[in-house]
Amino acid sequence: MNWITNSVLPKIKALVQSSDVPENLWIKCPSCSQMLFHKDYQEAFNCCSTCGHHTPLAPEERFKLLYDADSYETLEVSVRSDDPLKFKDSKRYPERLKATRTKTGTQDAIAVAKGSIGGKPVVIAAFDFRFMGGSMGRTVGDGLLLAADTAVAENAALIVVPSSGGARMQEGILSLMQLPRSILAVEKVREAKLPYIVLLTHPTTGGVTASFAMLGDIQLAEPGAIIGFAGRRVIEETVREKLPDDFQTAEYLQEHGMVDMVVARTEQKQQIDAILSMLMEARAA
Amino acid sequence: MRHFLDFEKPIAALEGKIEELRHLGGNSGMNIAEEIGKLQSRIDKELAQTYKKLGPWEKVQVARHPERPKMVQIIEHVFDEFIELSGDRAYAEDYAIIGGMARLRGRPVVILGTEKGSTTEQRVKRNFGMVRPEGYRKAIRLMALANQFNLPVISFVDTAGAYPGRGAEERGQAEAIARAIQSCLGLKTPLISAIVGEGGSGGAIALAAGNRVVMFEHAVYSVISPEGCASILWRSGDKAQTAAEALRLTAQDMHALGVIDQIVEEPLGGAHRNIDTALQNLATSIEAQLQDLSVMDAEALIKDRREKYLNMGDKALI
Ligand SMILES: [Zn+2]
C-alpha cells in the first residue's frame, strides 16, 4: 500500500461512482427489484420508475434537483478535525474522520449552497447520510449556522434537508449541545421573518428530529422516509410495543399531524417554488 | 436496609458489623459504643477514599442509585412552598415531570423537574422518569407562565431519557423536545438548570438549556446511555463501562467542556447518604446563580443564553 492507493485512489473511485457508472448500465431498485436503466434512474434523481421508491440523494444531487439551473454555488463549511473528548472506540475519532473523508470524498455530514428557486434567493443545507450516518457534531452545527447566517445576510429563504441517525456519539455531550445550537441557528431566520422550510428525507431520527428539523415554518417529507425520535428497534426492544408496518413513515407522520405534506422528488422544486412565492410575496409588500 | 453498589462492598461489610453489634446490645461485655465509633470512622475513611476516585461507570451507578434524591424531595428540601400545576391542555398530565410554582428562600419561582419515583408503585406512575410529549408540553406551558408573570425558572433533570414508545412518537416526541429547547432559549426570565442524577440525552437538554447549569458532583450527563453507545459502537451491551469512560460524562468533564457552570458538592458517600445536606448545597448553589442573573433584563438574559449555546463545542478536554 502506498500514498496513492491509500488516499487518492478511493477518492477517484468515489467521484467516478457517484457521477457515472459506465460499466453498470442497469441498476436494481432496492424496493421492488425492477431493473432500471442507470441513466433514466439518475435523471429521475434516484427514483424508481416502477414503484416510485426514493433512494437517498447526495447533497450535490439535491442542489441540482431543487435549484434553478446553474444558479447555485456551494459554500465552504469550516471543518473541525480535532477530538475534544479524545474519543476512541475501535478507532480514534480523528482517524475515523480521516478515513471517512477519504472514502466519501466529502468533509463532513453537511453541505451548504446558495442559489435561486424560481428566481427567489434560497440557501440550502443538505445532510449527507454517507458521512457517519449523517450524524450531527460541531461541524454540522457550524454548517447550519453558516446556512442561517447566509440566508439572513442575503434576505434568502432557508431550506434544510436532514438525513441523519442523530447526534454524533464521538463528540459526546458537545453533540448534544448542537441541539440548542442548531435551534438558535434557525431562530435567526425566523427573527428575520424569512421562510424556513424543512424537507425531511430518509432517515431522520434522534437528536436531529428533536431540534431544528421539527421547527420549520413548513414541514415537507419525502415518500417512504423514516422519521422519528426513537428508532423502531429501540421501541420494540425496550418497551415491547407492537408497531404497525408503516410506523414512522412520512405518510404515517402526515396522518398523525406531524408534517404538512409528503412530496415526491419530481414535485419538490415546483412545490417549494409555490410555497416560497406565497410566503415571500406578502412579506415583500 | 440501604442499597449498596457493587464497589461499596467493603463499606457494606463494615455497616453489617455495626448492625450486628447493635443487635448484641449490652450482653457482649464490650464497650459497644466505642466499637461502633471505631467502625464508623473506618466507614467514613473508606467512603471518602472510594468516592474521591469514582470512575465514570461508578458515577453512573451512583447517579442511578434508587435512593438518590428525587424531585419530590427537592421540592421538600429546597423550596418553602409549592403549588403544583398539571397538564399540557391538549392531551394529558404526565407524571414523569412535576411542575408548578414555589418559593426559593422566599422568592417565587416556577419549577420543573423529572421524577423517577421512589417505590415500585410510584415508579410505574412516574413512568420511571421518562417523559412523554405531554410532559414537555406541560413544561413549555409553565415556561410561558413564567414569562407572563416575570418568574425565574428552575429546572431539575434526572432521567434516563425521553420515553421511547409508539404513542409518544405518534404525538410528536421529537417536536415536543425541540419546542421545549426553543422555550428554554427564548425565556425572558432567568433559567437555572440542575443535573441532579442522570442527564439522559434529548430528554434532558429539553429542560436544561439554561443561563446557568449546575450539576451534582456524582451526577452524569450524556448524549446517549453508556449501554446504548456500547451496543452501537462496540456492538455489545457488555462494553457499557468502556463506553461510559469514552463518553466523558462526569460533572468534572462537563465543567471542563464548558457545558456546566458549577459543580455542587455531595456529602460523604454521595447525595443518597445525606439527602438534606446534599439538597441544602444545591439550594445554596441555585440561589447564588439566581442572584448573579437578577441584574439582567429579558434582552440580556436571552443574549446570555444565545452566546452560551452558540459557543458550545469550542472547548476541549486536555
Ligand atoms: Zn422500485
Side-chain angles (χ1 to χ4, degrees):
Chain A
M1 293 292 265
N2 58 29
W3 178 80
I4 290 184
T5 49
N6 270 335
S7 66
V8 178
L9 214 58
K11 259 187 211 165
I12 295 170
K13 270 189 188 158
L15 280 172
V16 169
Q17 278 166 354
S18 65
S19 54
D20 67 320
V21 189
E23 77 275 22
N24 199 356
L25 280 169
W26 297 87
I27 199 161
K28 199 163 101 179
C29 169
S31 178
C32 71
S33 300
Q34 174 73 41
M35 295 306 288
L36 305 163
F37 191 46
H38 192 272
K39 194 163 162 280
D40 293 346
Y41 179 71
Q42 235 182 3
E43 277 170 6
F45 292 95
N46 296 5
C47 293
C48 173
S49 55
T50 303
C51 73
H53 180 76
H54 286 47
T55 305
L57 203 57
E60 193 64 24
E61 298 299 308
R62 181 73 58 179
F63 297 151
K64 278 186 206 149
L65 169 70
L66 296 180
Y67 278 126
D68 298 338
D70 302 319
S71 81
Y72 75 91
E73 57 170 303
T74 48
L75 306 177
E76 198 185 325
V77 180
S78 65
V79 172
R80 305 202 199 201
S81 304
D82 66 327
D83 185 11
L85 267 60
K86 310 260 181 291
F87 194 98
K88 182 172 180 272
D89 45 86
S90 59
K91 256 190 199 145
R92 288 184 185 284
Y93 180 42
E95 286 165 23
R96 188 174 294 283
L97 276 178
K98 211 172 129 194
T100 311
R101 283 171 185 160
T102 306
K103 199 178 97 192
T104 60
T106 57
Q107 293 302 298
D108 211 296
I110 198 164
V112 180
K114 62 174 183 177
S116 64
I117 295 178
K120 293 169 284 294
V122 174
V123 175
I124 302 177
F127 278 64
D128 194 336
F129 193 78
R130 297 168 305 175
F131 198 100
M132 296 182 76
S135 57
M136 177 162 71
R138 296 162 304 152
T139 298
V140 167
D142 292 342
L144 290 167
L145 270 166
L146 170 70
D149 286 337
T150 308
V152 173
E154 314 228 335
N155 225 16
L158 174 66
I159 300 174
V160 181
V161 189
S163 173
S164 169
R168 186 170 297 172
M169 285 172 283
Q170 289 85 351
E171 294 187 18
I173 198 73
L174 297 179
S175 67
L176 185 66
M177 292 301 135
Q178 302 310 307
L179 275 63
R181 191 161 178 254
S182 65
I183 290 175
L184 286 169
V186 300
E187 289 283 275
K188 292 185 183 194
V189 178
R190 174 199 310 282
E191 278 163 23
K193 299 205 184 303
L194 291 160
Y196 168 42
I197 297 175
V198 179
L199 170 55
L200 297 158
T201 67
H202 181 74
T204 304
T205 60
V208 166
T209 52
S211 58
F212 69 90
M214 282 293 159
L215 299 178
D217 296 310
I218 309 285
Q219 294 283 124
L220 310 177
E222 277 196 350
I226 296 295
I227 303 147
F229 178 64
R232 181 184 195 103
R233 224 189 57 200
V234 172
I235 298 171
E236 283 172 341
E237 283 173 11
T238 56
V239 303
R240 311 203 179 277
E241 281 186 290
K242 227 168 155 45
L243 302 172
D245 289 342
D246 61 346
F247 185 62
Q248 294 182 325
T249 59
E251 294 76 8
Y252 192 86
L253 257 75
Q254 187 183 17
E255 246 172 67
H256 286 84
M258 292 301 145
V259 296
D260 289 291
M261 54 186 109
V262 178
V263 190
R265 263 174 216 162
T266 46
E267 312 292 325
Q268 281 170 11
K269 180 179 159 67
Q270 198 190 337
Q271 188 62 268
I272 288 171
D273 186 358
I275 291 168
L276 290 179
S277 294
M278 296 268 192
L279 294 178
M280 294 178 92
E281 198 172 293
R283 182 184 173 271
Chain B
M1 183 70 192
R2 181 173 294 288
H3 174 94
F4 288 100
L5 301 169
D6 280 349
F7 62 86
E8 292 180 327
K9 277 188 184 125
I11 295 152
L14 289 170
E15 291 205 4
K17 275 187 194 165
I18 291 186
E19 276 305 304
E20 261 176 58
L21 280 175
R22 289 217 171 98
H23 230 76
L24 284 173
N27 305 329
S28 61
M30 56 179 166
N31 187 338
I32 303 259
E34 196 187 317
E35 284 301 314
I36 290 180
K38 272 188 206 159
L39 282 170
Q40 192 57 54
S41 67
R42 272 177 67 193
I43 290 175
D44 289 353
K45 217 171 122 191
E46 189 77 34
L47 276 176
Q49 277 173 357
T50 307
Y51 272 76
K52 199 166 65 191
K53 54 177 173 52
L54 288 183
W57 181 240
E58 288 160 340
K59 289 200 186 237
V60 171
Q61 310 308 312
V62 176
R64 291 175 181 168
H65 195 290
E67 289 149 32
R68 190 140 183 105
K70 306 283 190 306
M71 185 60 185
V72 167
Q73 289 154 314
I74 290 171
I75 292 168
E76 239 169 68
H77 288 74
V78 173
F79 299 98
D80 312 325
E81 194 187 328
F82 178 56
I83 301 170
E84 183 165 2
L85 302 170
S86 313
D88 67 345
R89 301 294 183 272
Y91 181 77
E93 160 67 346
D94 186 343
Y95 296 105
I97 284 193
I98 303 178
M101 298 175 291
R103 285 185 192 274
L104 176 70
R105 295 182 177 168
R107 179 175 181 181
V109 294
V110 164
I111 63 173
L112 297 164
T114 54
E115 169 62 53
K116 287 181 176 176
S118 296
T119 61
T120 304
E121 196 191 21
Q122 282 294 314
R123 282 184 193 110
V124 171
K125 179 185 172 188
R126 304 291 184 186
N127 200 31
F128 299 86
M130 291 185 287
V131 180
R132 297 181 168 97
E134 301 73 69
Y136 296 116
R137 293 186 178 124
K138 172 168 75 176
I140 293 166
R141 188 175 74 77
L142 295 184
M143 286 191 256
L145 182 83
N147 266 344
Q148 179 75 1
F149 294 97
N150 197 28
L151 299 170
V153 178
I154 302 168
S155 63
F156 299 88
V157 173
D158 180 21
T159 179
Y163 185 66
R166 176 177 171 170
E169 292 291 316
E170 289 175 348
R171 298 191 299 277
Q173 184 71 293
E175 196 258 2
I177 294 172
R179 296 271 175 219
I181 299 172
Q182 193 181 35
S183 291
C184 289
L185 294 169
L187 200 65
K188 294 174 191 158
T189 60
L191 172 59
I192 294 164
S193 307
I195 313 294
V196 291
E198 272 185 286
S201 195
I205 187 68
L207 304 176
N211 294 89
R212 299 288 183 272
V213 184
V214 303
M215 184 165 170
F216 263 138
E217 192 182 348
H218 304 308
V220 295
Y221 196 3
S222 181
V223 66
I224 184 168
S225 72
E227 290 86 348
C229 181
S231 80
I232 297 169
L233 291 184
W234 280 268
R235 305 194 186 282
S236 154
D238 302 341
K239 295 281 187 188
Q241 179 168 354
T242 310
E245 283 156 16
L247 285 165
R248 309 299 296 258
L249 40 64
T250 69
Q252 294 69 28
D253 287 332
M254 291 304 119
H255 194 256
L257 287 166
V259 171
I260 63 159
D261 301 282
Q262 194 184 23
I263 298 174
V264 180
E265 201 186 325
E266 294 188 28
L268 183 65
H272 57 283
R273 282 198 162 77
N274 190 337
I275 286 177
D276 188 57
T277 304
L279 295 181
Q280 287 317 312
N281 291 351
L282 184 61
T284 304
S285 163
I286 291 169
E287 202 189 17
Q289 299 290 352
L290 191 56
Q291 192 57 37
D292 272 0
L293 296 173
S294 61
V295 293
M296 292 189 192
D297 62 10
E299 201 184 323
L301 286 164
I302 290 169
K303 188 163 170 268
D304 172 79
R305 251 177 258 126
R306 180 163 293 209
E307 280 169 9
K308 182 186 183 85
Y309 291 96
L310 281 177
N311 292 330
M312 279 295 171
D314 291 346
K315 283 188 182 167
L317 296 173
I318 306 153

